[in-house]
Amino acid sequence: MTGTILLTGANGSAGLHAAEQLLKHHSEFTAIFTVRDAGADDINTQNLRQLIARYPEAKATVHQLDHANLASVHEFANKISAAIAAGEYPPLGAIVCNASYWNMVLDSELTADGYDKTIQVNHIAHVALVLRLLGSFADEGRIVLLSSIAHYRQPNAMTSHLPEIPDDIDQLNHPPPDKDRQGRGFQRYANSKLLITTWMYPLNRYLQKNPKFKNITAVAINPGGLADSRAFTSNTPRSIQLLQTFIVKPFMGVINRLADPTLRSSAAAGVDLAELAVNKAHPGERGYFTMLKKDESDPLTLDEGVQEKVWKKSLEWAHITKDDTALKEAFE
């Protein structure tokens, strides 16, 4: 498999390491890296540009993409699709949906599109991007979705509120204010990961129904608990920042051995994302993975009725019509 790999959130913790793995070990691919802020003042984007400069033989470009603005996402998808059609980039080999957001210090924030920001950045924007760009894929390809252990409907140290997909699914985008901002903020993040994981199953079904897309596989990966993730330094209560700084990061190895075998570094997770993207890890397989081990996702995600509800609502949220995607089976 060759072609272009599109990686969102490429200047993030795992994203930066995934980018390096692609540049260093898979330079036969063309890389399109997206970031929320491509300006010279963004230190994380500058780190990404410096990384690219260390691999002059690699073919990589950096693009600004605001997941909190659906018009921007659709415009970007149109631009990339046109560039591939014009031969400026090879056909897509993979999309890695890595961009992410959470906020555990404020109530739900609404985007200009009227959706909860966590749900839109993590899920809705990626739905739009993937479905708009399917027609630009090569005959073989991979879609890598970022799930999390948080998607399981079970007690979690970060919150007492379990993730859910309510009967009125639109409630997820309009949660009421709550004094427990940390708990509800993490629940919104977990809800987004539950949606992502559930959406992956019908995506695979519809891909397999289309002869052109039958060799494009979608996977959802729980990358593990990333002890050194920058996510813990923003939109996060001070208590959690201190816990990460003085307990989780310094004792990551001990915690991994004695309590949580999935706790690891962002570097390790980034390598896994890249290897899934180039189809070296579990080539041709579909489904849910914990790190690189095939696993069972939450039972709710396996309910086909719930899957179809999430699928149809995601199309609506993402403003995807039959004219916007080559996956016509999505509307049958």
Side-chain angles (χ1 to χ4, degrees), residues 67-124:
H67 284 233
N69 184 321
L70 277 178
S72 173
V73 175
H74 283 268
E75 181 181 352
F76 174 77
N78 287 339
K79 181 178 74 172
I80 297 301
S81 178
I84 291 173
E88 297 174 29
Y89 299 112
L92 287 169
I95 299 176
V96 184
C97 300
N98 174 67
S100 186
Y101 180 82
W102 70 14
N103 196 317
M104 292 187 282
V105 295
L106 296 174
D107 288 321
S108 172
E109 308 157 272
L110 289 184
T111 68
D113 299 293
Y115 303 131
D116 173 75
K117 186 173 181 179
T118 300
I119 299 291
Q120 178 163 332
V121 171
N122 297 356
H123 176 58
I124 299 172

Side-chain angles (χ1 to χ4, degrees), residues 169-210:
I169 195 170
D170 281 310
Q171 290 177 2
L172 294 178
N173 273 310
H174 303 283
D178 194 307
K179 289 186 293 185
D180 182 12
R181 287 178 170 173
Q182 174 185 319
R184 291 300 185 185
F186 192 82
Q187 184 191 35
R188 293 193 297 272
Y189 174 79
N191 285 341
S192 76
K193 298 302 180 178
L194 183 58
L195 288 168
I196 289 165
T197 309
T198 304
W199 186 75
M200 178 264 299
Y201 291 102
L203 174 60
N204 272 318
R205 275 202 303 275
Y206 290 125
L207 289 171
Q208 288 179 276
K209 284 184 178 181
N210 188 312

Side-chain angles (χ1 to χ4, degrees), residues 118-119 147-167 169 171-172 183-198 288 297-301 306 310:
T118 300
I119 299 291
S147 183
S148 166
I149 193 172
H151 94 276
Y152 288 103
R153 294 171 302 146
Q154 60 190 28
N156 188 298
M158 299 286 280
T159 181
S160 61
H161 309 291
L162 303 185
E164 60 178 352
I165 297 178
D167 291 336
I169 195 170
Q171 290 177 2
L172 294 178
R184 291 300 185 185
F186 192 82
Q187 184 191 35
R188 293 193 297 272
Y189 174 79
N191 285 341
S192 76
K193 298 302 180 178
L194 183 58
L195 288 168
I196 289 165
T197 309
T198 304
Y288 179 78
S297 55
D298 188 273
L300 184 65
T301 68
V306 175
V310 168

Side-chain angles (χ1 to χ4, degrees), residues 11-18 20 44 47 102 223-234 236 240-253 255-256 260 262-271:
N11 63 354
S13 298
L16 200 62
H17 292 291
E20 182 167 24
N44 299 315
N47 289 337
W102 70 14
L226 309 187
D228 57 351
S229 173
R230 290 202 320 269
F232 291 101
T233 66
S234 61
T236 306
I240 293 178
Q241 295 181 27
L242 293 173
L243 182 68
Q244 186 208 26
T245 301
F246 295 107
I247 302 294
V248 178
K249 286 173 66 176
F251 298 100
M252 177 170 55
I255 298 170
N256 174 277
D260 183 0
T262 70
L263 186 72
R264 60 176 180 162
S265 68
S266 298
V271 170

